[in-house]
Amino acid sequence: MPSLATSVLAADTLVSGGFPRSKVDSNIVTINVGGQTFQSTKQTLALAGPNSVLSDLSDLHPSQIASRFIDRDPELFSILLSLLRTGNLPSKAKSFDLRDLISESEFYGIEPLLVNSLSDSSQFDAFNIEKSRLLELNGRDLPSVIAAGLHGSLHVAHGSKITSFDWSLRKKSTILTQFPAIDSLLAISSKSAAAGATDFSGLQIIGLEKGAVRATLNWENATKSASTVQAIGSSNDRLFTSFESSRRNSNCIMVYDLHTLRPVTEIAHFEIYGAEIDSAVPSTKLRWVPSVNLLMAAGSHHGLPGLTGNIRLWDVRSGKAVWEVKERADCFADVTVSDHLSAIFKVGESTGEVSYMDLRTLGNNEESWVCLREGRRLNGGKKEGFGCRIEGHGSQVFCSRGGGVELWSEIVMMESSYSNMTGDGLRGRVFRKNLIGRASDMGGAKISSLAFGGNKMFITRKDLQAVEVWESSASRL
Amino acid sequence: MENAYPNNNSLSLSHGRVKLNVGGKLFETTVSTLQSGGPDSLLSALSNRAATDPNPVFIDRDPDVFSVILSLLRTSRLPSTAARFSKQELIDEALYYGVDSCLRTAMSPPPLAGIDASVVATIRPAADGFPSSFTASDDGSIWIAHGGQISCYDWSLAHTATIRTHFEEVTSIRRVWPEIAAVGSEVAPGLHFYDISGGRHVGSTHWTDPSDPRIYKARVMAIADSTDSIFASFECPHKENSIFEIDKSTLQIVSEFGRQLGSSAKNMVAGKLTWLPESNGVVGSSVTCGAFGYAGYIRLWDPRSGEVVWEANEPGSGRSSRFGDSFADVDVDVDESKLFKICSKSGDLGMADLRRLGEDPWVYLRDKNYSMWNTGGNESSVIRCHRGQVFVGREGNLEVWSRVEEGEEGGADRESDEIYRRNYVDKLEDAQRGIIKRIEGGGDRLFVGREEVEGIEVWESSNFAVAIPVT
C-alpha cells in the first residue's frame, strides 16, 4: 500500500513541526499534463521508478516549475496517478480501454504497477472464479498444449503454430515453428518458449516475436539416434527435459541452465534391455518441488496388464531417485505435486478417484495413496479417470473430469475435534471437493488441459478452437 | 512499447508549448507534437504562429475528435476512444488538420501473416454484386469489376467511386495508373481504358491485322503491367491469340509477341500474365480443363526480342512420376523470383526458381500438417503469391504455405522444400461460403472472391486478441 506509506510520512513531517512550511510545500509537485494541472507528492511520483518521466519531473528545481509539462493525455494520466497513489485502478478506469492504459503506462514506465493491480497471482481466488471469455485462435488447428507465463500471459500451441497472448490477453502474436505439431510447451520468458514434440527431434527454444529458433537442445544418446521430447519442466534456474531416443530404447531427463541453456547434468538415464517394462517408460510429466529441492517425474505405459507407471522424486544434484512408487493397480491418469500442500496428487485411471501422498511422511513406512473419499456423489454413475487432468495451483488442487473441473481444498481442523468426528483416532488430512463454475458454465466438451497464470485459469477443450479464461469478476477490467 | 516517443521531447521546456482552444475546450501540447503530422499540415502551421502568441489558438472544430487526433500525434497510435467515431469522420478530421498520413499509418493493418488472419470485412457493391474480376494495390485499396461496373475502394476500404463501362461484363481489370483502369471482356473486343475519377472512357487498343482475315473481334483475356508498359493477351473468336506490349503513356501498341493459332491446349491464349521486374520478362500461363484432365503451359517471354526463354507444357514434360498430374493454376512470387504451381490431381504445390529454370525445375513441397492429410487433389484450385507466402484456394478452403523462420543454426544443408509449412487460413465455416474463384493480395490485405457469392472478403492479420465475452 504505497499510499499509506506516503501519507504517514507526510503526516510525520507536519506533526514534528520542526520543518518550515516551505519545506513541506516543496514536497508537493505540480505537473501540467496535456493542459490539465495535477498535484502530487515526490514520494508518490517516485513510485514510478527512477527511469520514469515522472521522477525526472519531481527532481526539477522549483524554479523550473513551468517546465513540469508532459505532452500526454490528461484523462489517462489521472487514472495512472490514482494507480500510483493507491496501487489500484480507480473504478472510472472501466470507461477506458485497457490497451490505452497499458500503452500509457509503458510511456510512464509504470506498467509493472498496472500488472500488479490487474493480474497478480495473489488475486487468484479459486473459490471465486468464473468463465469470463474465450480467446479465439485463427486457422483450423485445435490447441494441443497451453503454457501460462508470467502474470497470466498465455502461449497456445495449435498445429505447427504458437499464438502468444500478453498478460492483459489483449495483444497477440502468432509464429510458425518447424514442428508439425507441438506436444510440450513451456514459457521461459515473455519473449521465448521451449517447445518439443514426440515425433520431431530436439527441444527448441523459440523466440516468440519472429519465431526464430534460438537454440536446439538434443540428447546425445548411446545409439546416436535422434531424441524426442516427452515433457518439459523448470525451476527458478533449471530447465528439465524428458527425452526418449527415437528408437525408443533409452530415455533420460536432461537438466539445463535456464538462462545459458548449457547442459548441467543428465539424470534418470535408462537403457532398455530385454522385457523390463518399467525402465522403458519415459517421464511424461515433470514438476519441480522447491520446498524439498526435488524433481517429480512420472510416466505411464499402456500394456497387457493395463496402464502401469511410476512416479519418482529425483535429487538433481546427486542424480539419484530418493523415492519411487510403482503404479500397478489403478495407475494414475494424471499426477501432480502441490508444494503448498506438500503432497503428490493423482487421479486414478480406472477408478477416477483422487488420491494423495504426503510428501512429509514419504519413506517412513508403507507408502500408500490416501484416497479422497467424497461425502456426496454428484453423479452416481461409474467413475472413470481416463483423460482426467490434475494440476496444483496455490493451496488447491484442480482436477478436470469430463467437461467439469473439481476443486480440492484442504480444511485444517482442530486436531481434537477431528478425531472426535471420525471417532477412529486416525490422523489424516481433510480435503473437500467443489465443482467450479455456475450451473450455466457447467458441461461443455471434455477438458484437454488446464493451466494457471496470474489471477487466471485457462482451459482447453476437445474440439474447441479457443482457450477458455476463468477469473474472478472483481479483478476483471 | 511507445518508446519511439523520446522522453526528453515530452519534457520539453516551456517555450515549446502550445495552447489550443478547440471548440471551447483547452488543450496544451508541444510544437514538436503538432509538427509530427508533417510540415505541410494545418497543425504545424498553427504551431509556428502560436510560439509568439500567449493566447490559445482557437480552432472551430469538434473537441472530442480533436482529442483523438492529438492522442494519435502524441503516441502514433489510435486511442480506443477513436471507436466512438466513424472511420470516415476520423479521416475527414485528419484531412482537415493535414495529418491524414499519420492516421493512415495507424489505421493500416499489421504485416499480413496467413497463419494468423481472419475476415475483417466483406466489400459488397450495391448492385450487380457478383465480382467478375478485381485488382488490388499496394496501399490495400481494391477496384472491383462487377458486371459492367467498376467499384473502387480506397486504403480504408471506403467506397470512392462506381463507374459504368460500355462492357456488358468486365472480365479482366488492372489498375495501370493511379486513376486509370485497363479493362477487357471475354464477350466484347478490345482493351479499354477508363478514368475512374471522371468516369470517362479515355482510350482503347485493338488487335488488328489487315494481312490476316482471321484476326477480328479480338478480346482481352489477361492484363499485366510494368512501370511503363501494359501487357495484354488477346484472343480471336477462332482461338488465334497473341500478347501485346502497350505503352502506358501513349496507350499505343509497342510490340507483339507469342502469336499462335490456338488449335491445341499448348497454344491457347494465356489466361494469366505477370511481369517480372527483375529480368523484365513476362510469364504467361494457360490452363484448360477437359474430359481428360488439365492441360496447359507456362511460358517466360523476353518482350524485347519476343522470344520464349523457357517453357513447360503439361502434361508431357517434367518427371515421369508426375505424369497425369498437370498443374491447375500457376502464380509468380515476384519478390522471391519463384514460380508456384498447384497440381491438379495430387493437389501438391510445386516450386521453381525463376533464376534457375531448366528441363524440370520443380521442387514439390511436402506437407506435414496432420490435420490436412486428407485434403488436396481433384479440386478446383487457385493459387496466389503475396508477401512471401503462397495462398491456395481449394474449393472453399483457403490455405497458406509459409516459410518457417530458421534459427542461427538453421543448416544450409537443409533442403529448400523443408522450410515451407502448410496451414489453413480459414475456419471450416468460412469454407462453406462457396468455391474460391480468385485471390488477390494488396498491401497487407488478402482479397478473396467466391463463385456465385456477392462481395469480396477482406482478410487481415491483427495484433489484437479476439476475446468472446462469456456471460
Side-chain angles (χ1 to χ4, degrees):
Chain A
M1 283 289 130
S3 64
L4 203 65
T6 318
S7 54
V8 165
L9 200 81
D12 271 355
T13 41
L14 280 172
V15 167
S16 58
F19 293 95
R21 198 174 159 71
S22 64
K23 201 92 180 218
V24 179
D25 282 350
S26 76
N27 202 28
I28 298 171
V29 183
T30 309
I31 323 170
N32 179 343
V33 179
Q36 260 190 52
T37 306
F38 294 89
Q39 284 198 319
S40 186
T41 59
K42 276 188 176 177
Q43 286 87 343
T44 300
L45 295 181
L47 291 170
N51 298 322
S52 169
V53 192
L54 296 175
S55 53
D56 293 356
L57 276 178
S58 55
D59 289 344
L60 282 176
H61 193 266
S63 64
Q64 294 168 290
I65 199 140
S67 324
R68 285 179 179 155
F69 175 71
I70 306 177
D71 187 16
R72 300 293 283 198
D73 187 274
E75 290 176 35
L76 286 169
F77 179 75
S78 83
I79 305 278
L80 294 178
L81 186 58
S82 293
L83 175 68
L84 279 175
R85 285 172 177 148
T86 66
N88 292 314
L89 280 178
S91 59
K92 66 176 171 181
K94 288 207 196 306
S95 59
F96 291 88
D97 193 306
L98 185 54
R99 291 198 301 248
D100 290 351
L101 292 174
I102 293 172
S103 89
E104 207 66 5
S105 72
E106 281 168 355
F107 171 81
Y108 293 109
I110 56 170
E111 201 194 358
L113 287 175
L114 194 62
V115 175
N116 280 342
S117 79
L118 289 176
S119 189
D120 194 68
S121 52
S122 66
Q123 294 163 350
F124 182 81
D125 183 357
F127 293 106
N128 201 15
I129 55 175
E130 53 192 68
K131 190 150 79 170
S132 67
R133 57 190 131 164
L134 282 174
L135 295 174
E136 280 233 311
L137 300 168
N138 280 326
R140 290 192 202 172
D141 297 296
L142 295 165
S144 57
V145 52
I146 54 175
L150 208 58
H151 307 304
S153 62
L154 181 71
H155 309 293
V156 186
H158 50 123
S160 52
K161 298 156 285 185
I162 302 175
T163 297
S164 304
F165 297 90
D166 77 332
W167 66 267
S168 66
L169 305 179
R170 296 297 198 281
K171 283 189 254 178
K172 74 161 181 355
S173 61
T174 300
I175 55 153
L176 194 62
T177 69
Q178 295 172 8
F179 296 98
I182 296 166
D183 300 305
S184 314
L185 185 65
L186 181 89
I188 290 184
S189 69
S190 59
K191 291 190 178 73
S192 65
T198 53
D199 61 350
F200 193 95
S201 84
L203 176 77
Q204 293 190 349
I205 311 297
I206 302 173
L208 293 169
E209 277 156 348
K210 293 273 173 66
V213 180
R214 300 220 170 119
T216 305
L217 305 175
N218 251 307
W219 174 46
E220 292 288 328
N221 56 63
T223 51
K224 299 278 175 212
S225 68
S227 42
T228 60
V229 173
Q230 303 291 319
I232 315 174
S234 72
S235 69
N236 275 339
D237 54 347
R238 295 282 185 262
L239 175 67
F240 310 104
T241 310
S242 168
F243 280 110
E244 183 178 38
S245 67
S246 50
R247 294 181 183 181
R248 309 195 69 184
N249 57 358
S250 58
N251 59 70
C252 87
I253 298 171
M254 284 296 295
V255 182
Y256 300 97
D257 186 288
L258 190 58
H259 307 291
T260 65
L261 301 176
R262 289 212 183 82
V264 176
T265 181
E266 174 190 306
I267 59 170
H269 182 172
F270 294 101
E271 294 282 337
I272 290 103
Y273 304 104
E276 213 233 311
I277 284 287
D278 232 25
S279 59
V281 181
S283 301
T284 50
K285 193 144 183 175
L286 299 174
R287 286 288 182 273
W288 177 249
V289 197
S291 63
V292 287
N293 267 318
L294 294 173
L295 177 71
M296 187 205 75
S300 61
H301 171 80
H302 268 286
L304 269 183
L307 190 70
T308 58
N310 57 63
I311 306 168
R312 297 188 181 94
L313 286 174
W314 293 92
D315 179 0
V316 172
R317 232 171 259 171
S318 72
K320 289 199 174 73
V322 298
W323 174 83
E324 173 178 12
V325 63
K326 286 193 166 56
E327 291 274 287
R328 293 284 174 265
D330 196 23
C331 174
F332 59 86
D334 195 12
V335 62
T336 192
V337 60
S338 167
D339 199 33
H340 207 277
L341 297 170
S342 291
I344 297 175
F345 289 84
K346 75 161 186 180
V347 51
E349 203 251 2
S350 52
T351 62
E353 268 165 344
V354 177
S355 316
Y356 78 94
M357 232 187 251
D358 202 315
L359 277 177
R360 289 167 296 200
T361 57
L362 284 185
N364 280 2
N365 34 43
E366 83 274 28
E367 295 135 355
S368 65
W369 293 104
V370 182
C371 184
L372 299 179
R373 301 273 166 220
E374 295 171 33
R376 46 177 184 155
R377 294 223 165 167
L378 287 170
N379 42 357
K382 189 182 148 210
K383 292 176 72 175
E384 263 234 329
F386 178 73
C388 288
R389 293 277 171 273
I390 192 162
E391 291 293 343
H393 185 66
S395 51
Q396 270 90 15
V397 173
F398 298 79
C399 178
S400 78
R401 194 184 300 279
V405 182
E406 295 173 4
L407 169 68
W408 286 91
S409 33
E410 182 171 21
I411 292 101
V412 183
M413 306 286 287
M414 293 280 291
E415 223 162 276
S416 53
S417 59
Y418 180 59
S419 43
N420 283 344
M421 265 163 58
T422 53
D424 53 8
L426 270 177
R427 293 189 64 236
R429 298 169 69 178
V430 184
F431 289 91
R432 285 293 178 265
K433 187 182 91 171
N434 290 86
L435 282 179
I436 288 184
R438 303 208 167 92
S440 55
D441 300 335
M442 297 287 182
K446 183 169 190 162
I447 291 172
S448 50
S449 59
L450 294 171
F452 299 89
N455 57 355
K456 297 176 189 75
M457 173 171 81
F458 303 102
I459 285 178
T460 60
R461 293 178 191 270
K462 190 174 178 284
D463 298 329
L464 176 68
Q465 215 202 327
V467 180
E468 247 175 58
V469 184
W470 291 62
E471 61 194 311
S472 58
S473 55
S475 56
R476 219 188 297 166
L477 188 72
Chain B
M1 294 290 283
E2 250 35 74
N3 278 352
Y5 199 95
N7 285 355
N8 52 1
N9 198 357
S10 56
L11 260 181
S12 72
L13 298 167
S14 51
H15 62 257
R17 279 154 61 176
V18 182
K19 279 183 185 159
L20 299 167
N21 177 351
V22 183
K25 205 171 156 185
L26 275 177
F27 294 88
E28 194 164 354
T29 183
T30 58
V31 173
S32 60
T33 297
L34 290 182
Q35 284 175 346
S36 65
D40 306 327
S41 72
L42 170 68
L43 287 179
S44 75
L46 284 176
S47 71
N48 290 336
R49 216 188 53 174
T52 51
D53 192 353
N55 294 321
V57 185
F58 182 77
I59 307 173
D60 192 12
R61 297 294 280 196
D62 181 73
D64 295 338
V65 195
F66 180 74
S67 99
V68 172
I69 301 281
L70 187 57
S71 279
L72 170 70
L73 292 178
R74 280 170 175 155
T75 63
S76 48
R77 65 181 278 278
L78 269 182
S80 54
T81 44
R84 285 186 222 152
F85 305 97
S86 78
K87 232 191 246 181
Q88 201 52 49
E89 272 179 302
L90 291 173
I91 294 168
D92 290 347
E93 210 66 8
L95 275 170
Y96 175 83
Y97 293 110
V99 295
D100 45 310
S101 63
C102 288
L103 185 71
R104 190 185 283 219
T105 315
M107 279 172 75
S108 298
L112 179 72
I115 55 164
D116 190 13
S118 54
V119 182
V120 294
T122 303
I123 308 173
R124 285 197 185 84
D128 274 338
F130 298 94
S132 46
S133 184
F134 47 97
T135 177
S137 306
D138 284 340
D139 62 353
S141 60
I142 182 171
W143 289 5
I144 303 171
H146 50 110
Q149 304 173 63
I150 301 170
S151 288
C152 305
Y153 298 84
D154 70 357
W155 62 272
S156 68
L157 300 180
H159 179 246
T160 51
T162 294
I163 65 159
R164 173 75 183 139
T165 66
H166 71 283
F167 285 123
E168 282 312 307
E169 184 170 30
V170 176
T171 51
S172 30
I173 178 167
R174 181 101 192 155
R175 186 178 187 171
V176 291
W177 289 106
E179 290 298 320
I180 305 282
V183 292
S185 172
E186 283 172 16
V187 289
L191 177 69
H192 296 262
F193 300 95
Y194 276 90
D195 178 358
I196 294 298
S197 50
R200 284 178 305 120
H201 184 257
V202 290
S204 65
T205 306
H206 292 271
W207 179 17
T208 49
D209 189 347
S211 66
D212 191 340
R214 293 171 300 182
I215 309 305
Y216 69 106
K217 280 190 181 171
R219 294 153 310 184
V220 170
M221 306 305 278
I223 313 169
D225 72 323
S226 68
T227 41
D228 35 41
S229 294
I230 299 162
F231 300 93
S233 64
F234 282 79
E235 187 188 40
C236 295
H238 295 104
K239 305 283 182 209
E240 297 82 6
N241 63 82
S242 189
I243 300 172
F244 289 87
E245 181 175 356
I246 297 144
D247 188 278
K248 256 191 177 178
S249 38
T250 63
L251 302 185
Q252 296 304 308
I253 291 174
V254 180
S255 66
E256 178 193 351
F257 57 91
R259 189 193 281 219
Q260 49 195 359
L261 283 175
S263 54
S264 78
K266 292 187 175 39
N267 53 27
M268 298 294 264
V269 64
K272 207 169 190 177
L273 288 176
T274 313
W275 176 67
L276 305 175
E278 196 174 278
S279 60
N280 194 25
V282 171
V283 174
S285 62
S286 161
V287 180
T288 49
C289 180
F292 300 101
Y294 286 82
Y297 64 80
I298 308 169
R299 255 168 238 164
L300 171 60
W301 285 279
D302 179 355
R304 282 158 298 192
S305 65
E307 299 287 313
V308 174
V309 182
W310 173 84
E311 74 176 308
N313 294 293
E314 289 189 10
S317 70
R319 64 198 72 169
S320 57
S321 61
R322 293 270 166 187
F323 275 170
D325 196 13
S326 148
F327 59 83
D329 198 12
V330 184
D331 199 35
V332 187
D333 187 337
V334 172
D335 305 321
E336 307 278 335
S337 281
K338 277 178 182 150
L339 203 54
F340 288 90
K341 66 170 185 179
I342 191 89
C343 299
S344 59
K345 199 168 157 192
S346 63
D348 289 352
L349 189 67
M351 177 175 79
D353 191 336
L354 277 171
R355 299 188 188 99
R356 279 176 297 174
L357 292 170
E359 188 69 9
D360 182 15
W362 299 107
V363 175
Y364 292 92
L365 301 184
R366 261 175 287 159
D367 168 16
K368 291 210 172 119
N369 191 333
Y370 302 134
S371 61
M372 304 179 83
W373 267 356
N374 51 356
T375 62
N378 290 324
E379 295 162 319
S380 150
S381 311
V382 287
I383 179 169
R384 172 61 69 183
C385 302
H386 187 59
R387 291 276 196 248
Q389 300 156 79
V390 185
F391 295 88
V392 181
R394 294 179 201 270
E395 301 286 340
N397 304 295
L398 181 62
E399 67 182 43
V400 62
W401 292 74
S402 3
R403 268 178 303 172
V404 180
E405 285 285 334
E406 287 177 275
E408 52 264 49
E409 55 179 327
D413 53 321
R414 189 177 290 134
E415 285 201 15
S416 56
D417 62 339
E418 290 227 303
I419 55 173
Y420 276 86
R421 283 278 178 275
R422 179 186 177 201
N423 282 288
Y424 278 119
V425 182
D426 60 353
K427 293 181 184 296
L428 208 55
E429 46 283 19
D430 294 322
Q432 271 138 21
R433 282 198 290 268
I435 294 173
I436 295 177
K437 220 171 83 184
R438 194 180 167 95
I439 308 172
E440 284 283 342
D444 284 308
R445 291 193 178 116
L446 196 73
F447 300 97
V448 175
R450 297 181 193 259
E451 206 167 281
E452 305 291 313
V453 175
E454 268 188 308
I456 302 278
E457 290 167 13
V458 185
W459 292 75
E460 284 176 11
S461 291
S462 168
N463 292 331
F464 297 117
V466 178
I468 305 165
V470 186
T471 40

